[in-house]
Amino acid sequence: MRHRFLAALTVLGMAISAPTFAQTLKSGDVAVLASYYEIRGSDCLALRAPRVSITQMPTLGKASILQTRGQSNNSGRCAYKAVPVAQVVYQADQPGSDTLSWEVKYQNKTIGTRRYSATVGVTPGP
C-alpha cells in the first residue's frame, strides 16, 4: 500500500482555500487528500483540529477522517508547532473515476465552515 500526501491546508487566523483537485491512484492505494489544523495566531496556541466530515461518500473506494498529531507548516512565527490534525483519507478499491466532498468547521468564527471536493482516478492495481 502506498501512501501519498496530496494537500496540506493550514490556518493561522485565516483559511487557505483549496480548489477541487484531481489525483490518480492504483487500486489498493491509500492517500491523504487533505490535512487540517488550527493555530491561534496571536500566541501560536494549537487549537483542537477542525471538525471534518464527509458530505459525499465516494462510490469506488472508502473515505475516512483520521485524527492524529502533526506539525504546522515551516513558515511564519508559528512554524513547526505540534498540532492536532484532522486528515481526509481515501482508499482506492475499484478502477474508475471517484468523487468525494467534505466540510471543515473551524473554531475561528471568521473562517467558519469551508467545503472541498476531490476527484480521484483509480487504475487497476499491480
Side-chain angles (χ1 to χ4, degrees):
M1 224 185 279
R2 284 182 263 167
H3 295 276
R4 297 182 187 190
F5 295 90
L6 304 178
L9 307 175
T10 63
V11 177
L12 284 172
M14 61 182 232
I16 298 172
S17 295
T20 300
F21 55 95
Q23 178 67 28
T24 302
L25 303 171
K26 290 185 179 177
S27 293
D29 283 353
V30 174
V32 175
L33 299 182
S35 295
Y36 300 95
Y37 63 89
E38 195 168 3
I39 292 178
R40 188 169 61 201
S42 60
D43 59 0
C44 293
L45 177 67
L47 304 176
R48 69 171 164 71
R51 292 183 187 188
V52 180
S53 57
I54 306 293
T55 56
Q56 178 187 343
M57 292 301 284
T59 56
L60 302 176
K62 297 177 189 77
S64 60
I65 305 303
L66 175 66
Q67 301 294 325
T68 188
R69 296 213 36 97
Q71 285 187 335
S72 60
N73 65 15
N74 61 357
S75 64
R77 191 165 67 81
C78 303
Y80 301 110
K81 175 99 175 141
V83 291
V85 177
Q87 295 179 324
V88 178
V89 179
Y90 176 82
Q91 180 176 343
D93 289 339
Q94 302 172 26
S97 181
D98 212 356
T99 301
L100 65 149
S101 301
W102 61 93
E103 136 179 315
V104 182
K105 292 183 182 180
Y106 293 95
Q107 294 174 75
N108 183 328
K109 299 298 179 203
T110 16
I111 300 168
T113 300
R114 304 292 170 116
R115 289 168 185 80
Y116 305 98
S117 63
T119 299
V120 181
V122 180
T123 59

